Amino acid sequence: MKKWVYLFEEGNKDMRDLLGGKGAGVAEMTNAGLPVPPGFTITTEACNEYFRIGKQFPDSLWDQALAALKTIENKTGKKFGDPGNPLLVSVRSGAKFSMPGMMDTVLNIGLNPDTQAGLAGLTGNPRFAQDAYRRLIQMFGKTVKGIPGEKFEHILNKHKAKTKGKQDTDLTTDRLQDVVKEYKALYTKELGVEFPDDVVEQLRQGIEAVFASWFGKRAVDYRNFSKISHDLGTGVNVQTMVFGNMGDDSATGVAFTRDPATGAKELYGEYLANAQGEDVVAGIRTPKKIVELGDDMPGVYQQFEDVAVRLEKHYRDVQDLEFTVERGKLYMLQTRTGKRTAKAAVKIAVDLAHEGLITKEEAIQRVEPSQINQLLLPRFDDKAKQSGAFLAKGLNASPGAATGVAVFDADTAEAWGKNGKAVILVRPETNPDDVHGMLVAKGILTQRGGATSHAAVVARGLGKPCVAGTEAIRVDDDRKLFSVDGKTITEGDFISIDGSTGEVYAGPIATIEPDFSQETELIELLSWADEIRRLGVWANADYPKDALKAREFGAEGIGLCRTEHMFFEQERLPFVQQMILNASEAQSKLDALARAEADLARRPENKDAKKALAAAKKAAAASPAVKAYKRALARLLPFQRKDFEGIFKAMDGLPVIIRLIDPPLHEFLPSHDDLLVQVTEMRTKGQKGKRLREAERMLAAVESMREMNPMLGLRGIRLGITYPDILKMQVRAIFEAACNMQAKGIQVKPEVMIPLTGHVNELAVSQGALEAVAQQVMQAKGVEVEYKFGTMIEVPRAALTAGEIARYAQFFSFGTNDLTQTTYGYSRDDAEGKFLLRYVEEKVLPANPFQELDRDGVGQLVKMAVEQGRATRADLEVGICGEHGGDPSSIEFCHNAGLNYVSCSPFRVPIARLAAAQAALGAVVRDK
Ligand code: ADP
Ligand code: MG
Ligand code: MG
């Protein structure tokens, strides 16, 4: 016979899978000799079986439960349903991971008019018995039967209003009797049956309701968001009631062993005298601070403090405790790992390690890497937050805090944002048409959509705060307003959103810029992580200021410096455009010249060859395109050199990988559609002259460069081979900068990265010429710098032939964004805009492969490339520079695949340091 039921004595803390967190917790406390009211737990397996066989109790479950109930009766000397000395129980849900407020609990089961009278007589406290009965009807009606809670509240409030003190404690026995009467009438009216007097039936239905709440909408949504599996099931705990509502010597409360907001080492919590169960959390009266219990009930407080210390030592972590005091006697009802803010998580882990309760390794494993992101993002000043007017709470979809004026369409957001206004884009939900507005917005607020909605995904990608799925607000984007609770926010009104908590406020709230150097505990924790991790952590930075930031956060190199960003700067773009517009014609002349030179070199005495060279030289010299091309390159060279000098200086002593130009050139030119409109307008208006001619010329150039699939077209090394002078200019700039800085005593380690290689021959034809430029510069400057040439691995063919490619490349850097695109055959923008989010939501894919590296597909290619590359070149340096470099799961993969480093955005460097250490330590299950 399968064992479905465990007495508390039969369980322990390691049985969370089977008994749920709550069941394992009360079992552990029971066996530790703490005062826990006796009870038993029905297993999570029973819950799963219940659903598997079509919502029925599995065989013998009920018999086992009744047998366990007998044991409880014997232990307590009370009897379930016996008016002489009635046993009352609670039926409490409890899954493996706590899901606060998501699941159901019913108290005081076992009461009917007879047992109520018995209880009244036995305790000499008829008021209490009446109060317990009304609570039973209310909780049972609401959670088991689904009668809206407000209907009960309404009745209760009506009666409270008639008392002098207006509080629930002011309700007399007679009044409570009236409440019970009205509750029962409501129950019958709502359900068409009377409230059950049969206590065994109450118990059965209570257990069933807890099972059913596992698949309640709230619970399912919560699990989806928290990535908790739906097949864990919930345990059901049936426990002897103890009563905090028996008078002023009774109380109920909750407390953390340390402050869950700051991590400070002091009891933190609240209690209410003469109250039961959730009264504290439900806020029916203002609870008192836990320290005040020390004055009210010194003996109990002392005992509770001891229990708290003991449990924290026992579990070696902060505990979140529930307790009840019944006529001066303390009972423990729950212990669980306390949820905490990022700040507290870090402080507590470090403190516990210093106290010797846990090791440094455990401290590292205690903190969720993505959580520490919160410490490094702008957040609301806690004091200022209290001044803001709370509006609603949505999903905390992308962390960080933002204040700005509300705008309701992407175009306005863009226009106002570009004018320097801080805007929050508010939409019913977002789609790819909103992205240009999201780019300039300080934050994003949506009414609909979950944690994987477009708004959430894009905001996280952009590192912007986002509150999504704020169901309480009504967004009317036509009228440019949203309303909530009778309040209306219109375009231009200030609002504030906290993407870390999901809160939305009216009005501006001051934000605090984080200061890493003040985060002493985090710095200490990360220093421990550094001792343990094997993976290096580098950063992606294009500008010296980003490089400095990355270094402050602990980056050990630059894994990706993109040169093309610099091309977009206003003073440079005209030269970039000149370079592009003339490249094709000029390069054909220059290529002819190079060919003629090579030909003559092969047969130095040949007359025709001499003639041909002379002609080619003349043609090149006479070509305006060649002149313009060379002039543009010459103008760009000093800009690039200056950029690189800045980066080298910032990264003194550390490697800097600079990627040569990568995107298709048309990205630097005006859009084809805009130009077409412009030219057509000018023509229809009959305009003539220079401006029209220029526009026409630009249009023709852009037209000639148009590609069906720019992502798969002329870009990366393909571009470099087509227009070699562009790359040579870049390499010259890199090495001039390197030599100049080294001459000034700065230690430079440039690594030149060639993008998008797919065939070894691409390196064979380009790399040598580029290295020659490097050598030339170093010779001319009389300086030797330590350098490398290498390539990105971002198309499958490169990974498949990595052994050949490593003959040339001294390092590999996996560009996993492109590698994911090309492996899946997705264009990321199209995929995320059109179908990918749906794929993730409907679990066609386990995760968005652009956020979490696809180990089975893309990961295979990475592993293969590492192995083959190292077989050719044992000291090959291998890293990753895609967005994945900052994602903890992907970092774990990189560790296992033997990469040398991960490179991520500066703000993710601390996360990566921690994640890399956790990868080295191996997997642990953290409480969710
Ligand atoms: P949740 O998981 O939502 O906290 P619980 O099962 O812990 O739900 O119960 C809700 C409240 O009822 C808690 O305050 C708990 O302490 C209280 N409670 C549960 N069982 C008992 C009991 N047997 N005696 C007294 N109070 C109880
Ligand atoms: Mg609880
Ligand atoms: Mg790429």
Side-chain angles (χ1 to χ4, degrees):
M1 197 174 60
K2 178 98 182 165
K3 188 168 169 64
W4 300 117
V5 172
Y6 287 73
L7 292 168
F8 288 170
E9 292 81 348
E10 295 177 299
N12 65 55
K13 71 176 185 335
D14 300 320
M15 293 168 74
R16 287 178 50 169
D17 285 324
L18 187 64
L19 304 179
K22 200 178 286 168
V26 284
E28 186 76 13
M29 289 197 292
T30 302
N31 287 322
L34 298 181
V36 179
F40 61 87
T41 305
I42 301 172
T43 64
T44 55
E45 288 176 352
C47 172
N48 286 333
E49 186 66 6
Y50 168 84
F51 285 108
R52 198 185 67 79
I53 59 178
K55 301 200 182 169
Q56 293 170 37
F57 283 169
D59 247 10
S60 86
L61 164 61
W62 187 237
D63 292 340
Q64 290 183 31
L66 291 178
L69 191 65
K70 266 261 130 31
T71 312
I72 309 302
E73 288 178 341
N74 292 337
K75 233 180 247 171
T76 57
K78 302 178 182 187
K79 262 188 101 153
F80 197 51
D82 175 8
N85 189 7
L87 172 70
L88 303 192
V89 296
S90 60
V91 174
R92 321 172 64 189
S93 58
K96 174 171 181 183
F97 301 111
S98 75
M99 300 166 40
M102 299 299 139
M103 306 272 297
D104 294 342
T105 284
V106 184
L107 305 182
N108 304 338
I109 281 185
L111 277 176
N112 57 24
D114 293 341
T115 52
Q116 184 208 326
L119 192 64
L122 213 64
T123 56
N125 191 341
R127 184 197 176 278
F128 148 71
Q130 200 63 255
D131 185 50
Y133 195 34
R134 74 96 189 154
R135 287 172 187 268
L136 169 67
I137 303 169
Q138 184 167 354
M139 283 188 138
F140 192 91
K142 182 178 161 212
T143 49
V144 179
K145 295 297 174 191
I147 300 170
E150 310 89 74
K151 299 200 174 176
F152 290 106
E153 289 300 332
H154 179 75
I155 294 170
L156 193 65
N157 287 337
K158 193 179 72 189
H159 284 279
K160 278 202 285 198
K162 290 185 197 159
T163 66
K164 217 163 119 215
K166 313 260 184 255
Q167 296 202 325
D168 61 315
T169 37
D170 298 315
L171 294 166
T172 57
T173 314
D174 287 348
R175 263 208 198 288
L176 283 167
Q177 200 167 358
D178 291 342
V179 172
V180 164
K181 251 191 226 137
E182 289 181 38
Y183 272 12
K184 281 189 160 181
L186 171 68
Y187 188 95
T188 313
K189 184 169 152 248
E190 289 282 327
L191 303 175
V193 292
E194 304 227 319
F195 184 78
D197 282 344
D198 179 350
V199 295
V200 176
E201 192 52 24
Q202 289 174 2
L203 180 62
R204 204 189 53 75
Q205 290 189 25
I207 293 171
E208 202 163 347
V210 171
F211 280 164
S213 69
W214 178 250
F215 280 112
K217 183 173 161 25
R218 270 179 306 164
V220 170
D221 289 348
Y222 183 87
R223 289 197 297 273
N224 282 340
F225 181 68
S226 313
K227 298 206 171 138
I228 296 174
S229 157
H230 295 296
D231 55 22
L232 297 174
T234 180
V236 184
N237 303 288
V238 177
Q239 185 173 23
T240 308
M241 282 303 303
V242 288
F243 302 101
N245 54 336
M246 289 187 78
D248 287 336
D249 55 354
S250 302
T252 179
V254 292
F256 285 77
T257 56
R258 298 184 191 217
D259 187 328
T262 64
K265 190 178 179 183
E266 61 202 12
L267 270 184
Y268 176 96
E270 295 172 329
Y271 75 100
L272 268 179
N274 198 9
Q276 191 179 39
E278 315 221 89
D279 289 359
V280 174
V281 189
I284 57 153
R285 277 175 271 148
T286 308
K288 292 185 171 176
K289 288 220 162 59
I290 195 79
V291 287
E292 294 176 54
L293 190 65
D295 304 329
D296 290 354
M297 305 180 190
V300 171
Y301 182 72
Q302 187 55 55
Q303 198 192 346
F304 180 68
E305 226 179 7
D306 293 346
V307 168
V309 170
R310 229 178 109 187
L311 282 171
E312 191 179 271
K313 281 225 167 90
H314 186 73
Y315 279 95
R316 301 160 64 243
D317 202 353
V318 171
Q319 296 297 298
D320 169 359
L321 307 170
E322 286 176 7
F323 65 94
T324 282
V325 183
E326 178 180 310
R327 291 201 278 203
K329 179 163 168 33
L330 175 72
Y331 290 96
M332 296 306 298
L333 289 166
Q334 190 168 330
T335 186
R336 65 176 166 221
T337 309
K339 290 196 195 294
R340 60 205 82 174
T341 61
K343 192 172 181 53
V346 171
K347 176 167 169 54
I348 289 166
V350 171
D351 285 353
L352 289 180
H354 282 307
E355 288 164 28
L357 231 52
I358 59 175
T359 62
K360 285 181 184 177
E361 286 80 3
E362 285 171 309
I364 286 163
Q365 286 172 313
R366 288 284 170 88
V367 180
E368 187 79 55
S370 52
Q371 233 189 353
I372 60 177
N373 206 10
Q374 279 179 29
L375 297 181
L376 306 174
L377 291 168
R379 57 176 186 270
F380 288 135
D381 179 339
D382 283 338
K383 283 207 193 77
K385 198 160 150 178
Q386 282 160 9
S387 71
F390 177 78
L391 287 179
K393 188 160 180 180
L395 216 64
N396 51 340
S398 177
T403 280
V405 294
V407 293
F408 294 84
D409 66 290
D411 291 341
T412 310
E414 187 176 34
W416 292 15
K418 286 197 168 155
N419 275 332
K421 242 190 196 157
V423 300
I424 308 276
L425 180 62
V426 185
R427 298 284 302 152
E429 59 196 333
T430 63
N431 63 46
D433 295 337
D434 295 317
V435 171
H436 61 292
M438 299 170 81
L439 285 170
V440 296
K442 296 280 177 222
I444 295 125
L445 170 65
T446 67
Q447 179 185 329
R448 289 190 295 270
T452 52
S453 64
H454 179 267
V457 171
V458 174
R460 282 196 296 269
L462 296 172
K464 300 202 183 225
C466 172
V467 175
T470 319
E471 303 284 351
I473 67 172
R474 287 282 156 270
V475 178
D476 185 338
D477 49 338
D478 290 333
R479 291 164 59 208
K480 302 197 171 195
L481 55 85
F482 78 81
S483 51
V484 51
D485 272 349
K487 277 165 271 183
T488 303
I489 300 286
T490 54
E491 186 176 80
D493 291 349
F494 266 99
I495 58 169
S496 301
I497 63 169
D498 187 339
S500 310
T501 61
E503 290 162 314
V504 182
Y505 297 87
I509 299 180
T511 52
I512 310 181
E513 286 300 319
D515 180 355
F516 188 67
S517 66
Q518 296 295 308
E519 302 288 342
T520 44
E521 275 115 7
L522 178 59
I523 289 170
E524 184 165 16
L525 186 74
L526 292 176
S527 76
W528 298 345
D530 293 345
E531 291 164 16
I532 283 161
R533 67 187 162 87
R534 186 191 53 67
L535 268 179
V537 177
W538 298 15
N540 299 349
D542 300 341
Y543 299 98
K545 71 171 182 346
D546 298 332
L548 284 170
K549 184 106 260 170
R551 223 180 157 157
E552 186 196 339
F553 286 148
E556 299 154 300
I558 298 297
L560 177 65
C561 169
R562 286 164 294 199
T563 48
E564 59 269 9
H565 277 194
M566 305 160 176
F567 284 176
F568 281 109
E569 279 176 28
Q570 235 177 17
E571 45 174 7
R572 311 179 184 189
L573 197 57
F575 303 118
V576 174
Q577 294 186 342
Q578 277 305 308
M579 171 183 88
I580 294 170
L581 292 173
N582 291 291
S584 172
E585 194 184 328
Q587 199 73 56
S588 78
K589 301 254 159 35
L590 293 172
D591 287 351
L593 181 58
R595 271 196 304 275
E597 272 169 352
D599 188 32
L600 185 64
R602 255 195 315 275
R603 35 182 199 157
E605 299 310 323
N606 185 291
K607 262 205 190 130
D608 289 343
K610 277 186 186 157
K611 248 201 220 148
L613 177 61
K617 267 191 181 146
K618 211 171 137 201
S623 159
V626 170
K627 214 177 268 158
Y629 184 52
K630 292 211 151 157
R631 198 177 50 223
L633 288 171
R635 293 299 293 266
L636 288 173
L637 176 77
F639 283 126
Q640 292 247 288
R641 186 172 57 220
K642 205 163 138 247
D643 295 331
F644 299 142
E645 285 175 352
I647 295 251
F648 287 139
K649 195 165 155 218
M651 297 306 286
D652 187 359
L654 299 176
V656 175
I657 296 188
I658 297 170
R659 181 179 70 183
L660 303 177
I661 189 166
D662 181 52
L665 292 181
H666 73 79
E667 285 191 12
F668 302 102
L669 301 178
S671 103
H672 178 264
D673 294 353
D674 289 353
L675 280 169
L676 193 61
V677 170
Q678 193 189 343
V679 167
T680 314
E681 262 177 20
M682 287 167 102
R683 282 183 188 152
T684 47
K685 283 187 191 150
Q687 288 178 8
K688 291 201 176 66
K690 195 169 161 228
R691 279 197 46 224
L692 176 63
R693 277 201 306 281
E694 265 173 15
E696 283 174 338
R697 187 163 163 251
M698 186 65 92
L699 178 62
V702 170
E703 214 143 46
S704 74
M705 270 183 228
R706 269 183 121 190
E707 293 175 294
M708 304 298 284
N709 263 316
M711 189 190 78
L712 302 176
L714 183 63
R715 54 177 288 223
I717 184 58
R718 308 159 197 170
L719 188 71
I721 288 175
T722 313
Y723 303 127
D725 285 41
I726 300 180
L727 295 202
K728 283 186 190 154
M729 178 277 287
Q730 290 197 299
V731 170
R732 177 170 293 279
I734 292 169
F735 281 86
E736 285 182 1
C739 292
N740 291 350
M741 286 297 106
Q742 183 140 309
K744 285 192 181 157
I746 285 164
Q747 201 193 349
V748 292
K749 295 183 174 176
E751 304 192 8
V752 180
M753 180 152 76
I754 295 172
L756 218 71
T757 303
H759 195 290
V760 62
N761 287 349
E762 290 173 314
L763 293 185
V765 302
S766 63
Q767 190 173 318
L770 296 176
E771 283 203 63
V773 173
Q775 289 296 342
Q776 220 178 27
V777 172
M778 289 190 291
Q779 246 159 36
K781 297 250 179 198
V783 181
E784 271 292 315
V785 302
E786 186 188 326
Y787 72 88
K788 285 193 174 109
F789 272 77
T791 187
M792 288 186 85
I793 304 288
E794 47 190 342
V795 298
R797 198 182 185 287
L800 293 166
T801 60
E804 292 174 5
I805 288 177
R807 292 212 313 268
Y808 292 90
Q810 295 168 285
F811 67 87
F812 285 173
S813 177
F814 290 98
T816 45
N817 190 42
D818 269 321
L819 190 57
T820 302
Q821 297 201 87
T822 50
T823 300
Y824 266 101
Y826 292 168
S827 127
R828 179 174 185 174
D829 291 346
D830 294 322
E832 285 184 342
K834 295 277 193 307
F835 61 86
L836 193 55
L837 302 183
R838 182 194 190 120
Y839 266 32
V840 175
E841 243 159 39
E842 293 178 4
K843 303 259 181 308
V844 178
L845 295 182
N848 180 342
F850 293 104
Q851 279 173 4
E852 203 176 304
L853 191 114
D854 157 42
R855 298 185 185 205
D856 299 337
V858 177
Q860 288 294 320
L861 289 170
V862 172
K863 273 197 210 150
M864 181 189 299
V866 174
E867 273 163 32
Q868 292 188 9
R870 291 226 175 101
T872 301
R873 187 187 290 271
D875 64 349
L876 183 76
E877 169 191 286
V878 187
I880 179 175
C881 65
E883 245 175 271
H884 296 108
D887 166 62
S889 151
S890 312
I891 291 170
E892 184 191 48
F893 170 84
C894 292
H895 171 88
N896 294 332
L899 267 55
N900 297 93
Y901 67 86
V902 295
S903 186
C904 55
S905 81
F907 280 94
R908 296 197 76 87
V909 165
I911 299 171
R913 286 163 71 192
L914 185 61
Q918 290 182 354
L921 290 169
V924 284
V925 181
R926 266 183 297 276
D927 197 2
K928 297 204 191 207

